Amino acid sequence: MADCSICGEKIPEGSRTCPVCGSSADDFFPSATMLKLEPTSPAPAAPPGGSVCPACAKTYGPEHTDTYCTCGTELIMSESEPIPMAPIVDEIPMAPMLDEIPMAPFVEEEVPMAPILEDEPVEEHVDTAVKLRSVKPPPGTPCLVLYGPDRQPLQYFPLTKDATMIGRLDAVAGNFPDIDLDAWFDRATIRKISRQHALILRTRASASFALRPLVGNTGTQLERNMIQPMQDYPLAPGHRIILGGVIRFKFEIS
């Protein structure tokens, strides 16, 4: 006769309920974990690579991958042979220390430097007084003939425009004369004329030409007469024109 695990009362034969506390026998004898009072034999060992159930002693081979038995008990796996560990290798000997690489000997003597060349004297630009002489234009061409210091024809300037400016180049001031005397004489001579010195005017109807000195010119002479600014003076072939007392022209029809 079993005793009630709750109150300790004797449970009658054939009954599964305590007459005192009313506890069911399932509360202290669960069917899934029924205690076996009689000693059992030890569970067999698991086959190599397999497993064994400690409750029902059922064995399984290596092909059984579940960790539980069909009775619900966790299986005991067979003890596999321990994997041999790799032998402990002694410390790898380090490479021998190399002696320090000797440095190149220090040269006390300084490397001779290239000799310093003295600055070559810069030749100052000297404008030549006489340039290359030009070729005389075709016959019948009205032109101004520029004469050099040797009183020989230096350049022929054909008068093909209605207004021909005579003067000196000044790019900063935007002065670009048609006849640029700066290219033909030295500085000392060219500074004696104005940047915008005079105009040669052509009248198409009569095919005539006139000389007009401009305001601020340094002096304009037609033949032997000094002429006034902003007045027109007719030109005839052979007339001599002197600008600033140094530059000589002659009006010609070649």
Side-chain angles (χ1 to χ4, degrees), residues 49-51 60-69 75 77:
S51 57
Y60 297 91
E63 68 279 359
H64 186 72
T65 58
D66 197 354
T67 57
Y68 288 87
C69 180
L75 298 176
M77 308 300 293

Side-chain angles (χ1 to χ4, degrees), residues 91-110:
E91 295 182 358
I92 300 175
M94 296 181 62
M97 295 291 293
L98 298 178
D99 297 335
E100 295 182 358
I101 300 175
M103 297 179 62
F106 179 75
V107 180
E108 295 182 356
E109 297 181 359
E110 295 182 356

Side-chain angles (χ1 to χ4, degrees), residues 80-93:
S80 59
E81 294 182 1
I83 300 174
M85 295 180 62
I88 299 176
V89 181
D90 296 336
E91 295 182 358
I92 300 175

Side-chain angles (χ1 to χ4, degrees), residues 93 106 132 161 199 237:
F106 179 75
L132 295 178
K161 300 173 65 175
L199 288 175

